[in-house]
Amino acid sequence: MSMHPQAHRVQNLHVSYFWSGDAIRSRSVSDVVLSGTVDVPVLPARLLADWERDMARGLEPGDVEALPLARARVRWPDYRQCVQAVSDWTHALGLPEVLASSDVALMACRGARYHHDGAQYGGAAFCNLFLSEDKGLDVHFPVTGQRIPLVRGTTLIFDTGQPHAVIQRGSDRFEVADFAPGQDWSQVFLTWELPIESPHVGRALGVAFDIDPSTALQLDEEQVWVNGAPARVCPESGRWRKVD
């Protein structure tokens, strides 16, 4: 197991407004990305075939969709070993027992457009374990410039409000044409929703809470603001844009 936390500091002008119980709370959007590589056994051929059939039914380039985890576990004898490897990695980062109490899902993509997940998961950080082989793809965080090569066993923890994409290595944009049929661009990964209000998670990512309580009181849905206004992410470039 290797571990190489990466933390690029930028001026934080991003604010996530998220549900905390029955109230909206404000917090900073962390620019810290924790990454590493853990030992993931080669996946069974019939499990990979199942996933390919599922993805062939409509997974379009740029989209991120769920796969059936319960069914996959039936054909995945090393599932618990994979989860334990991520658990050991998070323990080493000072995040004890966070996986055991967090929701987990199995996801797939053929590349991923630039996006953030703060409008649905503002109260969480994502912990991802990538299961596919190296296919020449990176996770790119355009705000900080970080690029994480995706190989079997790549692990990530990052703020859901941080823009990110899965793009070709060497590219700095998402283009649908880069993921044309004829080559396997798929990536399958496990993802856990770590509670951002957990003292361990918040500390690891350097999140500051209640930085704009007056605005939070006026909102009734989760969202991310940049420079004092609601913003969205350009799906091709990853740049922030004001909401019209």
Side-chain angles (χ1 to χ4, degrees), residues 102-121:
S102 301
D103 292 335
V104 61
L106 182 67
M107 309 296 292
C109 67
R110 284 197 170 97
R113 293 178 179 84
Y114 287 97
H115 66 286
H116 72 81
D117 298 282
Q120 298 83 29
Y121 301 99

Side-chain angles (χ1 to χ4, degrees), residues 203-225:
R203 187 181 308 116
L205 294 180
V207 174
F209 291 94
D210 300 316
I211 60 175
D212 187 11
S214 59
T215 300
L217 286 172
Q218 303 172 37
L219 301 178
D220 58 6
E221 61 183 12
E222 295 191 328
Q223 51 198 277
V224 175
W225 287 24

Side-chain angles (χ1 to χ4, degrees), residues 52-70:
E52 190 54 45
R53 281 193 294 271
D54 287 337
M55 289 185 285
R57 294 189 182 107
L59 182 64
E60 298 296 331
D63 293 343
V64 183
E65 302 289 348
L67 296 176
L69 178 56

Side-chain angles (χ1 to χ4, degrees), residues 111 114 130 132-140 147-152 154 165-175 178-179 183 185 187:
Y114 287 97
F130 286 84
S132 303
E133 302 297 332
D134 185 352
K135 299 176 182 178
L137 301 176
D138 296 339
V139 174
H140 182 220
R147 303 181 72 104
I148 313 297
L150 294 181
V151 302
R152 176 162 43 92
T154 295
V166 176
I167 60 176
Q168 285 193 5
R169 199 161 297 152
S171 173
D172 61 359
R173 293 179 59 83
F174 175 85
E175 300 284 356
D178 290 342
F179 299 91
Q183 186 167 343
W185 297 111
Q187 283 287 332

Side-chain angles (χ1 to χ4, degrees), residues 89-96 200-201 203-204:
W89 179 70
T90 57
H91 270 259
L93 292 172
L95 301 172
H200 299 292
V201 176
R203 187 181 308 116

Side-chain angles (χ1 to χ4, degrees), residues 117-129:
D117 298 282
Q120 298 83 29
Y121 301 99
F126 282 157
C127 176
N128 291 350
L129 170 64

